[in-house]
Amino acid sequence: MTAASDLPSISSTTILSSDNITLSAHQEQDIKTRAQIEKIENEIKANQKLTSDLIPITELSNLYLDNNATTSTTIGDGGGGGGGGVNKGFLQGCEYLATKYTNYRAIRGDGNCYYRAFLYALVENLYNSNNDPSSSSSSSELKRISDYINSSIDVVVQRGGYDRFAIETFHEEMVDLLSTITEEKDKKNTTDDDDSDSFSKIHNSLNEENGTSDYCVWYLRVITSTILKSDPDRFVHYLNDGSGSDDPTSSSTNSSFNTYYYTDVPTYCAREIDPMGKECSMVGVLALAFQITVEIEYMDGKELDIKNNNNNNNTNTLIKHSFGGRLHKEGGKDGASDGDNVKSSSALCITLLYRPGHYDILYK
Amino acid sequence: MSTSARRRLLRDFKRLQNDPPSGVTGAPMDTNIMLWQAVIFGPDDTPWEGGTFKLVLEFTEDYPNKAPQVRFLTKMFHPNIYNDGQICLDILQNQWSPIYDISAILTSIQSLLCDPNPASPANSEASRLYNENRREYNRRVREIVEQSWQDDA
């Protein structure tokens, strides 16, 4: 048995752990920590919608102008501060984005942003997918995803090991959301309503607190976990993202600060995917890129090499990766492609913007 | 969706009645489904055997996206339970997931009784005795078990 004080990891509740600290001080610290976390969460809730309205991409650079450098609340859970050098890279990135995209949609920075961005962009894509009447395949995308989600409950129970009772509410919410899209699409096709008006019903329901968005976000987490657990050998080597602690035996439960070295997929899922508010790591992104293509522009603040403009396309652009797309066709194998690979056969493609610790949606 | 928490709590309650886990019981207070009282029985063949430990669970409209506040009403002596009954348990804090219903919460707390986590001590004396003097620790636990019967009286 290891004495508590010998453990290497630091946790919010053990930060003052030692015999010379009185119990009340210890607990007081714990209560303060939790109160502070709650205060931050409430601030985020009050200041950021779950999914914002469309914002012109040109406004993105306002977040990185010098006088705004320290106001990180506006850009979600990735900090925006830093020296001028860092901002310069971001400003160049914004400039580049403005040449390719028209708008972005800000997602609340509560640790669920990847899943929430994925959900919203997927819903929006499905809603718009039959705007092209010449293509019969595009309207079937909604049916394809609906079928996948409808039958997913059995898969997540059998392969993910989830309790049907505990998750069926979340599954039902996701199924309902997809039926709503079908209904609203039908309405749109039979009337001359303005597009944006008929989608606004869905937009509003995806902005209700403790409602559809959260329920579906959590169901996406369940699907992500299930995909990871269904093929652990494929994912196990990528669990630690290079950020794990050096000591594989170190573990601590009540901590937001410690890193944890993962050696198996189920533990990883229980700690990093299943809890709400845990940011989605690359392995989660890879797993969740099921059935559709996810493109991500990476803006990490690194300065772009403008000098080589026109000579080499790669030097003055942000790095873009694309993941997934119709995995089921290949029997669930072969997830990420690096852009040079075969184009995805899926008509569904969502584009997200990554900034350190945060994801938003991009629009062309 | 403002009643989603209440809907889920009703399901949890039905589940608890139809498929009761061994060694724990729970039910909402008469007037308020957001406030539950529960009892955890000390597991057999452990120093906790025979104890009846009362808890109160407080839910918010965020449930099940947020964990409930859970607190022992019975006086406890355990490395991960504060003097005021607050519990230091990962799934009630940063490892919370909507996967846990009330049955799961109560059974997790029950297993915490016999399987403390030395990494997050909430009661330094209990933690020290658990690590250094298990015999004395067990004696203190037995005292708590006997006290729990008096609370019932």
Side-chain angles (χ1 to χ4, degrees):
Chain A
M1 184 55 60
T2 318
S5 53
D6 291 344
L7 287 171
S9 42
I10 297 169
S11 97
S12 58
T13 50
T14 58
I15 205 161
L16 297 173
S17 92
S18 194
D19 291 332
N20 59 353
I21 301 287
T22 63
L23 175 69
S24 59
H26 184 178
Q27 186 174 7
E28 206 176 295
Q29 182 69 26
D30 188 26
I31 290 167
K32 275 186 192 164
T33 308
R34 277 195 264 171
Q36 193 175 9
I37 291 171
E38 203 177 315
K39 185 168 168 255
I40 294 168
E41 283 172 355
N42 287 338
E43 264 174 34
I44 290 171
K45 231 176 178 174
N47 294 322
Q48 301 175 18
K49 285 177 85 172
L50 290 171
T51 42
S52 79
D53 296 328
L54 282 181
I55 303 170
I57 194 81
T58 46
E59 286 184 22
L60 190 60
S61 59
N62 292 344
L63 304 173
Y64 296 100
L65 296 176
D66 276 346
N67 54 350
N68 269 334
T70 50
T71 53
S72 60
T73 49
T74 42
I75 55 159
D77 39 12
V86 175
N87 277 348
K88 188 177 175 198
F90 280 114
L91 287 169
Q92 288 174 337
C94 292
E95 218 171 283
Y96 164 70
L97 289 173
T99 64
K100 266 183 90 178
Y101 302 93
T102 56
N103 291 285
Y104 75 104
R105 193 183 297 281
I107 308 297
R108 178 182 289 170
D110 61 358
N112 297 310
C113 56
Y114 182 77
Y115 301 95
R116 210 181 297 284
F118 181 98
L119 174 76
Y120 192 100
L122 174 64
V123 166
E124 204 172 22
N125 251 282
L126 289 172
Y127 178 80
N128 292 323
S129 64
N130 70 344
N131 281 358
D132 178 10
S134 64
S135 165
S136 58
S137 69
S138 58
S139 60
S140 68
E141 293 289 1
L142 177 54
K143 188 178 178 312
R144 185 169 67 82
I145 298 295
S146 297
D147 288 348
Y148 179 89
I149 294 297
N150 285 344
S151 58
S152 65
I153 182 82
D154 293 323
V155 181
V156 299
V157 168
Q158 285 158 21
R159 303 176 94 179
Y162 291 95
D163 184 325
R164 184 180 292 266
F165 170 86
I167 59 170
E168 63 190 358
T169 322
F170 303 91
H171 174 250
E172 282 162 17
E173 194 66 41
M174 187 95 190
V175 169
D176 286 352
L177 175 62
L178 289 162
S179 338
T180 308
I181 301 171
T182 311
E183 284 163 27
E184 294 298 316
K185 270 177 84 156
D186 288 347
K187 266 191 222 163
K188 184 177 66 171
N189 290 340
T190 50
T191 64
D192 289 334
D193 271 357
D194 185 86
D195 281 359
S196 59
D197 277 344
S198 53
F199 188 72
S200 67
K201 186 183 162 192
I202 298 173
H203 174 84
N204 291 340
S205 86
L206 285 175
N207 267 310
E208 264 175 45
E209 301 289 346
N210 306 316
T212 307
S213 187
D214 275 353
Y215 272 51
C216 294
V217 158
W218 195 71
Y219 195 67
L220 289 178
R221 288 180 176 275
V222 167
I223 289 178
T224 307
S225 281
T226 301
I227 293 170
L228 291 172
K229 288 175 191 170
S230 304
D231 200 354
D233 290 345
R234 184 171 158 226
F235 294 110
V236 70
H237 304 293
Y238 303 97
L239 298 183
N240 292 299
D241 261 2
S243 61
S245 100
D246 291 336
D247 177 6
T249 60
S250 84
S251 71
S252 173
T253 48
N254 285 308
S255 167
S256 343
F257 309 127
N258 66 319
T259 51
Y260 190 98
Y261 187 89
Y262 294 101
T263 52
D264 70 286
V265 168
T267 307
Y268 179 83
C269 292
R271 286 173 172 271
E272 301 293 338
I273 309 282
D274 293 347
M276 284 297 272
K278 288 275 181 172
E279 281 174 31
C280 190
S281 61
M282 277 324 296
V283 74
V285 170
L286 193 57
L288 187 55
F290 70 100
Q291 306 282 319
I292 72 169
T293 303
V294 181
E295 292 183 343
I296 303 177
E297 297 273 8
Y298 286 86
M299 183 160 83
D300 57 7
K302 203 179 68 179
E303 283 188 41
L304 305 180
D305 190 355
I306 300 294
K307 287 190 301 250
N308 292 334
N309 202 354
N310 299 329
N311 294 334
N312 184 341
N313 276 341
N314 290 326
T315 52
N316 65 333
T317 63
L318 295 174
I319 301 294
K320 187 173 90 176
H321 284 284
S322 59
F323 301 91
R326 305 297 294 262
L327 293 188
H328 66 303
K329 287 268 169 163
E330 291 82 40
K333 298 286 179 190
D334 202 21
S337 67
D338 58 11
D340 294 332
N341 259 328
V342 269
K343 285 264 191 268
S344 164
S345 56
S346 172
L348 286 175
C349 175
I350 64 174
T351 307
L352 305 182
L353 167 64
Y354 170 86
R355 286 174 285 160
H358 190 65
Y359 291 93
D360 294 303
I361 309 172
L362 286 170
Y363 294 85
K364 276 181 182 159
Chain B
M1 290 294 298
S2 63
T3 61
S4 61
R6 290 160 198 274
R7 275 205 329 243
R8 165 71 184 249
L9 285 167
L10 275 174
R11 290 163 80 115
D12 283 12
F13 185 40
K14 275 190 200 141
R15 171 90 181 277
L16 211 52
Q17 287 179 313
N18 297 338
D19 182 17
S22 72
V24 304
T25 70
M29 308 274 196
D30 287 343
T31 52
N32 185 1
I33 195 167
M34 308 299 277
L35 197 61
W36 285 50
Q37 210 163 23
V39 178
I40 292 179
F41 300 98
D44 290 349
D45 304 320
T46 74
W48 300 91
E49 181 172 355
T52 52
F53 308 108
K54 283 190 194 156
L55 305 94
V56 63
L57 294 84
E58 242 178 290
F59 297 87
T60 64
E61 290 291 346
D62 289 339
Y63 181 76
N65 283 322
K66 280 272 170 66
Q69 292 276 348
V70 185
R71 196 162 58 81
F72 274 100
L73 294 174
T74 310
K75 187 172 166 45
M76 299 298 280
F77 184 76
H78 185 282
N80 306 117
I81 301 171
Y82 288 113
N83 271 350
D84 67 355
Q86 298 271 3
I87 306 160
C88 212
L89 177 63
D90 55 358
I91 67 151
L92 292 177
Q93 285 149 21
N94 64 337
Q95 298 296 324
W96 169 257
S97 159
I99 194 179
Y100 303 113
D101 63 355
I102 293 172
S103 290
I105 295 170
L106 293 176
T107 48
S108 297
I109 296 172
Q110 188 192 34
S111 61
L112 181 73
L113 288 183
C114 310
D115 192 14
N117 175 8
S120 43
N123 179 330
S124 55
E125 192 189 5
S127 191
R128 190 174 55 79
L129 287 179
Y130 181 79
N131 288 321
E132 294 168 9
N133 188 347
R134 194 63 64 86
R135 181 191 289 260
E136 174 63 9
Y137 173 81
N138 288 346
R139 195 188 63 76
R140 295 285 295 272
V141 169
R142 295 299 308 167
E143 270 180 23
I144 288 293
V145 168
E146 282 172 31
Q147 277 181 32
S148 77
W149 303 331
Q150 287 158 17
D151 289 348
D152 287 343

